[in-house]
Amino acid sequence: MTGRNDEAGRAPDAGPEERRGFLGKVSGLAMSIGLIGGYGAFGAVAARYLYPAKADPKSWFFVAVLREFEVGSSIAYRAPSGARINITRRGVGESLADFSALSSTCPHLGCQVHWEAVNERYFCPCHNGAFDHEGKAIAGPPAEAGQRLSTFPLKIEKGVLYIEVPTAELAQVELADEVPTGPGQDPCLFQRFPTREV
Amino acid sequence: MGVVSRWIQDRIPLDAGRLRELTNEPVPNHLKRWWFCLGGTPAYLFVIQIFTGIMLAFYYQPSPRTAYESVAYITDEAAFGWYLRSMHKWAATFMVAAVILHQMRVYFTGAYRKPRELNWMVGMLLLICTLTIGFTGYSLVYEQLSFWGASVGANIAESVPVVGPLVKNMMLAGESYNDRTLPRFFIMHAAILPIVMIVLLFIHITLIRIQGVTEFGATEEEKKKTFNFFPDHLYTEIIMGLSLMIILSALATVLPAEMGPRADPLTTPEVIKPEWFFYVMFRWLKLFSGTVAVISSGFIVFVMFLWPFIDGAIRKYTRAKEASVWIGILGVLAIIALTVWEASVAH
């Protein structure tokens, strides 16, 4: 090594040391890039894995035959997740404008609202939020924030009303116990859940 | 930067020099050879297993009604779920292999001899834990192999005299596989065994630090040669770790973990085999009746556990100073033969 340096006319000692220092820095840098890149990519894969793969699956469910659904009446519909949805017939017509499907989950902090017939409003007992029959907030924190009860898509086919709701099942046993036949109750839905043997 | 480092220094008074002093023990020169990385390899794989295992636990649901579907969800639907599950499976395979190879290296180099007998026993416990965690791991998928593997495992346990039925009941949380079995396997696999292994690993590494790594070399001068743990040996381990990640990722991509048929408690598959690392035991069980096979295997494990003392007695009272080497070769050949035998036949 020294001989070659001499031949090249460089200082005999500085060359190899400088080279070693340079190579040390380059290899250190390469190793750092490799480590950060490799494990960083692995970490990114893990983070993506934890994020839900896709939106919750939804499906259309039977609600009621229109001729059996009286104007002004409501059905307390239970989605497969157990969530309550208030489906109301507001008009005599048979278009979607005559129906509404309001979530019973308060948009403020997620408590359950209920219909107060006397006051003609949906009331949330958690923080005294109130909503009119169309779901618009009229009092309490939801009104201050300009919120409203969320709605669910409805469709009418051959005189039958359907609703689109998430199909995730969370409260199937409770639902199976509570689901009788009649308006608002999908017999197919009922069959999908095992009944509790008493 | 100066302010930040001073702030940290005021609270954690450790400078680079002291840190190096604390972690930097001289490493014998023979550790420059790659096969002496086999001790660090299972430890590194264990870290991968903990990480990927925690990831899988985010979606896994340990009940007979949901286990299979949740694993199918991880495999088919969750983003990169197939990759993380395959990494977990391949790292498990590698970990078992690395632990066995590490133990063989320790055995054939006589590194278990005085004063390291206790560390050999800790290592044996780590081997048993590794095999048990492998067994409980593939029982969780709730495919046919999982169900029948767990059932056969529980029945093997039952054939142990006196305590057998109790052990089976404890394993299955009942007299047979039931709703409460899978949670039990899950807790064993994901909590109890990993904690036990972490404690054992801590003891294992502490004993290595106290006793030092065994020195090898033809001459005394060679034995005394050392190099620095930091950064030289650490770099070796880092390169080994990155190489493992590449190999595991490639295997996970080319040969990903798949889903076997869902467990059917009413139908035992025509051909059923455990994971490869249980082939020895599985063949042994076919060669001898239940109780004889179980007791003899227990005896072999017991002898392995106490081997440093047995070897010490052989060396002290006989002239066969290297008998352990020949016994070891016989043992390894027997393990290979039984494994190959089991792998090459259907029944």
Side-chain angles (χ1 to χ4, degrees), chain B residues 3 85 91 97 125 130 134-135 215 254 262:
Chain B
V3 179
R85 184 178 161 227
L125 291 176
T130 306
F135 170 72
E215 291 157 348
V254 179
R262 194 180 200 284

Side-chain angles (χ1 to χ4, degrees), chain B residues 43 69 79 224 232 250 267 287 309 320 324 327:
Chain B
E69 282 70 22
K224 295 293 167 216
D232 300 17
T267 317
L287 290 175
F309 304 106
S324 66
I327 293 168

Side-chain angles (χ1 to χ4, degrees), chain B residues 135 149-172 174 185 281 285 290-291 293-295 297:
Chain B
F135 170 72
S151 301
V152 170
N155 289 328
I156 291 172
E158 194 185 21
S159 57
V160 175
V162 188
V163 293
L166 175 75
V167 174
K168 183 188 178 184
N169 257 281
M170 290 295 282
M171 263 179 87
L172 299 180
F185 276 95
M281 183 69 188
L285 282 163
T291 308
V294 169
I295 291 177
S297 343

Side-chain angles (χ1 to χ4, degrees), chain B residues 231-298:
Chain B
D232 300 17
H233 192 63
L234 186 69
Y235 279 178
T236 312
E237 296 285 346
I238 288 174
I239 292 168
M240 185 270 302
L242 279 176
S243 308
L244 269 174
M245 288 298 280
I246 293 166
I247 295 167
L248 288 171
S249 294
L251 282 168
T253 311
V254 179
L255 298 167
E258 289 173 351
M259 301 293 297
R262 194 180 200 284
D264 178 0
L266 302 176
T267 317
T268 307
E270 196 54 39
V271 177
I272 183 147
K273 283 180 192 293
E275 288 289 338
W276 64 271
F277 42 87
F278 285 123
Y279 277 8
V280 176
M281 183 69 188
F282 207 55
R283 179 47 57 181
W284 196 256
L285 282 163
K286 289 175 183 173
L287 290 175
F288 304 99
S289 74
T291 308
V292 173
V294 169
I295 291 177
S296 56
S297 343

Side-chain angles (χ1 to χ4, degrees), chain A residues 38-39 42 45, chain B residues 44-53 55-56 74 80-95 241-253 255-257:
Chain A
Y39 290 110
F42 192 59
V45 162
Chain B
Y44 180 81
L45 289 164
F46 186 50
V47 174
I48 294 182
Q49 289 303 74
I50 289 175
F51 180 78
T52 51
M55 288 294 120
L56 297 178
I74 291 168
F80 296 110
W82 62 271
Y83 172 67
L84 291 168
R85 184 178 161 227
S86 304
M87 283 286 279
H88 197 70
K89 190 186 174 182
W90 278 110
T93 300
F94 273 50
M95 191 171 154
L242 279 176
S243 308
L244 269 174
M245 288 298 280
I246 293 166
I247 295 167
L248 288 171
S249 294
L251 282 168
T253 311
L255 298 167

Side-chain angles (χ1 to χ4, degrees), chain A residues 78-94:
Chain A
R78 293 293 295 269
S81 64
R84 285 192 178 83
I85 299 161
N86 295 298
I87 303 172
T88 309
R89 183 166 193 175
R90 297 187 303 205
V92 290
E94 294 197 349

